[in-house]
């Protein structure tokens, strides 16, 4: 998910020596601000609907520490975000077409953008900066560690901890061949069938050419009843990109891959949309994604961990599930 931070706090991301605005890639600050604003609204929606109870021991959030002591009021300062979020989704909903998504997947399969370790990729992600907040100096690695440590503290499986570490790593896409912000962050949704009314700002799909294409604007579109989400194209962004990287290069279990792929698929895991496309496998994956969601939303705090102390643990964890070490991004 997204690299969220609390509504009353946005972070300045640094790697190595403090960086100034001249080092910030064009558009990066606004990318992070949009991502934060999107997550504020998702937090509000999650609180309105309540926490989801699930039934497996590792999926059970009833006794987790992550939701204890959360000041939910601090996540409700979202009003100023709305115009920015509406403008973002207007562009995303217009441009996320079947044609674009097919080309994005062709691009993914036919070229290598970079080769590096997962840890080096986390360091590279620190080039995403937000200099708008003087009160915190938390880096992307800090946020990744916070999420992973919250999961680790609740004694979840090691692969679950690794998901916490890498779930936002797909935002590297911004440095490679993204066309802006709209194909990196934001809630995701299927393309190739009718856009659900449960998608945030659903009315802004009116300018998407697929909305009037008879091949794509019916309930099932190019899909079939209970075809399974593995056979559905989700809008291209950081989670879909990282899902394909992890699927290709890791030994992570299906539950982990689902958490990575679907953590921004809020119309599905929070609004109960698109059930007619699900199969039995998706029913189990939904529980996994819902178990991960609170960590995605609520792990961002001002606490900083000693990265030098924790790095050996997470390097070992990465090597366990990414055995080739050097990953093609």
């Amino acid at each position: 998910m997204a690299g969220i931070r609390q509504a009353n706090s946005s972070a300045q991301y640094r790697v190595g020596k403090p960086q100034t605005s001249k080092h910030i890639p064009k558009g990066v600050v606004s990318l992070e601000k949009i991502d934060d604003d999107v997550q504020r609204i998702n937090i509000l929606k999650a609180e309105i609907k309540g926490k989801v109870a699930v039934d497996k021991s590792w999926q059970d959030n009833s006794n987790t520490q992550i939701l204890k002591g959360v000041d939910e009021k601090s996540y409700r300062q979202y009003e100023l975000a709305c115009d920015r979020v509406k403008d973002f989704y207007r562009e995303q909903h217009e441009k996320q077409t079947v044609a674009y998504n097919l080309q994005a997947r062709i691009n993914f399969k036919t070229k290598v953008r970079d080769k590096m370790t997962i840890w080096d990729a986390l360091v590279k992600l620190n080039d995403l900066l937000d200099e708008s907040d003087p009160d915190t100096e938390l880096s992307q690695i800090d946020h990744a560690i916070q999420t992973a440590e919250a999961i680790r503290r609740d004694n979840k499986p090691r692969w679950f901890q690794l998901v916490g570490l890498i779930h936002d790593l797909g935002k590297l896409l911004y440095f490679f061949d993204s066309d802006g912000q709209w194909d990196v962050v934001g809630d995701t949704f299927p393309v190739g069938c009718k856009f659900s009314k449960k998608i945030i700002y659903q009315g802004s799909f009116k300018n998407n050419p697929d909305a009037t294409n008879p091949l794509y604007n019916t309930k099932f579109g190019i899909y079939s009843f209970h075809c399974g989400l593995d056979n559905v194209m989700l809008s291209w962004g950081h989670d879909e990109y990282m899902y394909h990287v992890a699927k290709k290069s890791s030994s992570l279990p299906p539950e982990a891959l689902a958490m990575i792929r679907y953590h921004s698929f809020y119309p599905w895991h929070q609004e109960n949309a698109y059930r007619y496309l699900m199969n039995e496998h998706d029913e189990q994956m939904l529980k996994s994604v819902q178990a991960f969601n609170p960590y995605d939303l609520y792990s961002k705090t001002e606490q900083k961990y000693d990265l030098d102390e924790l790095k050996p643990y997470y390097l070992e964890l990465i090597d366990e599930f990414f055995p080739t070490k050097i990953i093609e991004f």
Side-chain angles (χ1 to χ4, degrees):
M1 200 253 156
I4 77 160
R5 55 184 76 92
Q6 293 182 1
N8 60 355
S9 173
S10 57
Q12 179 175 7
Y13 290 86
R14 297 193 180 104
V15 55
K17 296 181 179 180
Q19 302 188 45
T20 63
S21 59
K22 67 180 181 180
H23 296 292
I24 304 174
K26 183 179 181 181
V28 166
V29 171
S30 57
L31 174 79
E32 284 297 275
K33 187 174 293 292
I34 282 292
D35 196 36
D36 288 347
D37 291 344
V38 167
Q39 290 308 322
R40 291 172 194 172
I41 291 176
N42 283 332
I43 287 167
L44 178 64
K45 289 163 60 183
E47 290 171 356
I48 290 172
K49 291 184 70 68
K51 310 305 181 293
V52 179
V54 289
D55 58 7
K56 289 186 178 180
S57 59
W58 66 263
Q59 295 173 327
D60 185 5
N61 285 334
S62 59
N63 295 315
T64 62
Q65 298 298 312
I66 188 65
L67 296 177
K68 295 180 180 179
V70 170
D71 180 9
E72 295 187 350
K73 292 182 180 179
S74 69
Y75 291 87
R76 295 181 183 273
Q77 301 174 26
Y78 67 95
E79 292 87 351
L80 296 178
C82 288
D83 286 344
R84 189 159 47 240
V85 171
K86 287 179 182 178
D87 290 342
F88 164 80
Y89 277 119
R90 187 178 297 113
E91 182 177 21
Q92 186 204 47
H93 291 174
E94 177 181 344
K95 294 181 178 179
Q96 285 280 359
T97 62
V98 170
Y100 173 78
N101 274 268
L102 289 172
Q103 186 61 55
R105 285 157 176 80
I106 291 172
N107 292 343
F108 174 81
K109 293 179 179 179
T110 55
K111 64 180 178 181
V112 176
R113 298 157 184 81
D114 205 341
K115 295 182 180 181
M116 53 188 155
T117 67
I118 292 294
W119 190 267
D120 286 343
L122 286 166
V123 171
K124 182 177 178 65
L125 195 62
N126 275 345
D127 287 338
L128 282 175
L129 305 182
D130 184 350
E131 293 193 333
S132 63
D133 188 353
D135 298 323
T136 182
E137 298 183 354
L138 294 177
S139 68
Q140 286 281 359
I141 288 184
D142 284 319
H143 171 56
I145 291 290
Q146 284 177 339
T147 308
E149 282 293 289
I151 294 168
R152 181 185 179 192
R153 188 164 55 246
D154 284 341
N155 297 312
K156 304 299 185 182
R158 285 171 61 81
W159 58 261
F160 197 155
Q161 298 169 33
L162 183 58
V163 170
L165 189 71
I166 68 172
H167 72 283
D168 273 343
L169 194 53
K171 287 162 73 173
L172 285 171
L173 190 61
Y174 187 83
F175 296 116
F176 299 142
D177 53 0
S178 71
D179 284 345
Q181 303 170 15
W182 60 270
D183 59 349
V184 180
V185 295
D187 291 3
T188 58
F189 46 85
V191 297
C193 62
K194 187 175 182 179
F195 299 115
S196 171
K197 293 181 179 179
K198 297 294 183 68
I199 301 173
I200 189 170
Y201 302 123
Q202 197 270 353
S204 60
F205 283 108
K206 62 183 180 181
N207 293 324
N208 186 311
D210 290 356
T212 55
N213 187 321
L215 292 175
Y216 308 137
N217 66 0
T218 62
K219 179 177 181 178
F220 292 100
I222 60 177
Y223 310 114
S224 59
F225 188 55
H226 293 327
C227 63
L229 295 179
D230 284 344
N231 298 309
V232 172
M233 275 196 301
L234 295 184
S235 53
W236 188 253
H238 75 279
D239 14 20
E240 188 75 355
Y241 167 63
M242 189 60 204
Y243 160 73
H244 284 286
V245 170
K247 183 179 180 181
K248 177 182 177 182
S249 304
S250 79
S251 59
L252 287 167
E255 292 85 354
L257 296 176
M259 291 173 180
I260 294 169
R261 187 185 189 207
Y262 302 129
H263 72 268
S264 298
F265 190 9
Y266 280 87
W268 179 58
H269 67 69
Q270 185 168 296
E271 301 295 336
N272 210 32
Y274 296 105
R275 294 196 63 87
Y276 51 88
L277 298 178
M278 295 169 60
N279 57 22
E280 292 182 6
H281 174 73
D282 297 325
E283 295 285 354
Q284 295 303 312
M285 296 304 101
L286 176 59
K287 296 175 183 179
S288 302
V289 177
Q290 290 171 335
F292 173 73
N293 187 240
Y295 298 101
D296 190 17
L297 290 180
Y298 294 109
S299 61
K300 191 71 175 181
T301 69
E302 294 304 310
Q303 179 181 1
K304 290 193 68 172
Y305 292 91
D306 186 333
L307 297 184
D308 290 335
E309 179 181 341
L310 292 176
K311 183 177 178 179
Y313 177 82
Y314 284 105
L315 288 179
E316 181 180 345
L317 189 62
I318 291 168
D319 288 346
E320 180 179 346
F321 294 99
F322 286 88
T324 60
K325 298 184 186 297
I326 302 299
I327 309 302
E328 294 184 347
F329 284 90

